[in-house]
Amino acid sequence: MSFAAGGAGAREALDAATDMARSLARAVIEDSELLAGSGNVLPRGIVGRHALEAVTSFRDVHGGDLPSSLAAVPGAVCDVVLEAMRRAAGSADFLFVALGNAVALHQEPGVAIPADTDLPPVLGEFVRALGAGIQGGMALGGIHSIMPTRGALDMVAVHSKNAAVAGFAAVLVADAAAGGFSPPKGDMPKDRLLAAGWAGRAIARAPGLVEPELIWDALSASVRQASALRDRRLLSAAALGFRGRGRTIGPVDGDRLLRFGVSEWR
């Protein structure tokens, strides 16, 4: 986990982040073990409850099979730590918490995180492509993210109201690409929790050569999913990259997304 703060109250915010991160450690593992299993669960920790709340909002609007609830956990950790920072800081120019492929972010209107801030590179690029003053959560999905996917997209980045919702949405959008192109089957994750969470689910690995029409079909399938989630206010912006082509949804500047490895956005 990494976190940073700038402006008045930054020191207090960083102290609060350290204390909260330490206090969460054991409960997060216990809740993750519950969420990795099947059936109805009731996590005891604040992170587990926040993650489950994020997933429930998708169950209300999505009729298909959903990814494991573990997809929301890293973002939920970020959200909880960020809230502790905001309470302690009183006011700050910016605050962020990053864990794995998720980031929770607070920026005052007109404020942009400095370029030398230690955000994960791809997420940092996505945050800056969204513009100054952005708040909420960002997360990654796709073949090159931490969370498994059944789709073939290289990368999906999502901005939503918080990082837990963004994390789950990113995996759901990445999974949707399987409706346009069936990728080769991948191995189960080595991480025991991810292996438990995705047990019995299809997991993709990176494909070899893909015909242009299939690239477009895969991107289009995920764009349809992202657009539906945006209509339901479960995401506000997204960027998708696959084999040198990309699509964007919502207010995000595709020309600034160089780390996605795409040469054309449309």
Side-chain angles (χ1 to χ4, degrees):
M1 177 185 292
S2 61
F3 37 79
R11 183 179 296 277
E12 291 81 1
L14 294 174
D15 288 343
T18 300
D19 292 342
M20 178 58 76
R22 288 173 177 167
S23 70
L24 292 175
R26 178 174 295 180
V28 168
I29 294 174
E30 293 174 351
D31 285 348
S32 294
E33 289 173 341
L34 287 174
L35 293 172
S38 58
N40 295 324
V41 298
L42 184 61
R44 298 179 62 183
I46 185 173
V47 167
R49 295 195 301 271
H50 181 51
L52 196 60
E53 180 181 354
V55 175
T56 299
S57 64
F58 288 86
R59 291 197 178 106
D60 293 339
V61 301
H62 190 275
D65 183 37
L66 290 173
S68 170
S69 299
L70 286 176
V73 171
V77 173
C78 295
D79 291 333
V80 171
V81 174
L82 183 76
E83 182 57 31
M85 295 175 76
R86 294 185 67 174
R87 290 195 303 266
S91 62
D93 291 341
F94 73 87
L95 306 166
F96 87 78
V97 183
L99 177 63
N101 287 155
V103 169
L105 175 66
H106 168 81
Q107 296 177 114
E108 288 297 310
V111 173
I113 290 183
D116 60 352
T117 303
D118 190 25
L119 271 171
V122 176
L123 279 172
E125 186 171 282
F126 183 61
V127 168
R128 294 179 181 101
L130 292 170
I134 291 297
Q135 300 192 33
M138 281 64 63
L140 299 179
I143 291 289
H144 298 304
S145 72
I146 293 172
M147 294 295 172
T149 178
R150 66 181 184 182
L153 298 194
D154 297 318
M155 194 70 70
V156 172
V158 166
H159 173 226
S160 190
K161 60 184 177 181
N162 61 50
V165 171
F168 198 80
V171 175
L172 192 58
V173 171
D175 280 357
F181 168 70
S182 298
K185 184 178 179 180
D187 297 327
M188 289 299 295
K190 294 181 180 179
D191 181 276
R192 67 178 184 85
L193 290 175
L194 294 181
W198 270 263
R201 299 172 183 268
I203 297 176
R205 63 178 173 85
L209 182 66
V210 182
E211 295 295 326
E213 294 81 5
L214 295 178
I215 293 173
W216 185 254
D217 289 345
L219 285 168
S220 296
S222 282
V223 165
R224 288 192 293 272
Q225 178 67 87
S227 297
L229 295 179
R230 188 167 187 249
D231 290 343
R232 297 285 189 163
R233 299 185 179 180
L234 290 172
L235 65 81
S236 57
L240 295 68
F242 184 36
R243 288 296 187 265
R245 292 295 183 95
R247 301 284 298 275
T248 58
I249 297 92
V252 55
D253 183 1
D255 291 338
R256 303 184 67 179
L257 297 173
L258 301 178
R259 290 182 187 271
F260 278 63
V262 300
S263 58
E264 182 178 348
W265 295 89
R266 56 176 178 166

